[in-house]
Amino acid sequence: MSGLHWHAYAYNGRELPPDRDRRDPGCPVPPLEIRQWLLKPARLLAATYPAPDTDQSAYGWLRTELDAFPRGPRDLSPATQLAYARDCLNRSTDVVWGYWSATGLYISRALITCPRADTPCPHGAGGTTHHHSISTPRAAPTSRQ
């Protein structure tokens, strides 16, 4: 499939966002449905990587993120989580992680395949690696009541 690529999305929070916010495409929180990542605000977009991941740049991004925000000691091992990611990337499918970090933050990381049958590329990427100049949202947002 020509032009296939992944958009890398990142979100950190002090709590899992409420479903009403997750359903809202304009709200900068992880969506309820995987395909809806492509409708979320561009500020959640961390990078774009070509598929297949022959240079392992998409995998490297996930590994770096997991190193920066490790899971708790009773959760999946990094090796297990990264093996799952590598399998998904080898099949050119989505990789979606949502977990509580060892420091108590809710971490959401996603590599979303694009374009999709029901959603054209929202960021105008043509399958070339592009790292956005904006920083990945690392500070936990203030929870909304």
Side-chain angles (χ1 to χ4, degrees), residues 59 66 71 76-86 95 97-99:
Y59 177 82
L66 186 57
R71 290 177 175 261
L76 288 175
S77 72
T80 298
Q81 191 168 1
L82 290 167
Y84 162 77
R86 185 172 307 280
V95 180
W97 293 347
Y99 63 93

Side-chain angles (χ1 to χ4, degrees), residues 32 35 38 41 54-55 61 79 89 93-94 99 110 115 118 121 133 136:
L32 287 174
R35 65 183 175 82
L38 297 174
T54 53
D55 67 357
W61 177 75
L89 293 170
T93 60
D94 302 318
Y99 63 93
D118 57 349
C121 182
S133 59
T136 300

Side-chain angles (χ1 to χ4, degrees), residues 8-45:
Y9 292 93
Y11 170 86
N12 298 353
R14 290 190 176 96
E15 60 188 34
L16 182 63
D19 286 355
R20 72 177 177 279
D21 291 348
R22 296 180 75 193
R23 283 187 193 96
D24 179 354
C27 195
V29 299
L32 287 174
E33 294 181 39
I34 291 171
R35 65 183 175 82
Q36 291 177 339
W37 271 110
L38 297 174
L39 304 175
K40 289 296 184 169
R43 75 180 198 199
L44 294 178
L45 183 66

Side-chain angles (χ1 to χ4, degrees), residues 55-66:
D55 67 357
Q56 297 191 24
S57 56
Y59 177 82
W61 177 75
L62 288 169
R63 184 180 198 120
T64 298
E65 293 299 305
L66 186 57

Side-chain angles (χ1 to χ4, degrees), residues 9 15 29 37 49 62 65 75 113 117 119 130 134 138:
Y9 292 93
E15 60 188 34
V29 299
W37 271 110
Y49 300 101
L62 288 169
E65 293 299 305
D75 211 341
T113 55
T119 309
H130 176 71
I134 59 172
R138 299 236 186 254

Side-chain angles (χ1 to χ4, degrees), residues 94-110:
D94 302 318
V95 180
V96 179
W97 293 347
Y99 63 93
W100 293 99
S101 72
T103 61
L105 288 176
Y106 179 71
I107 304 298
S108 182
R109 297 295 182 267

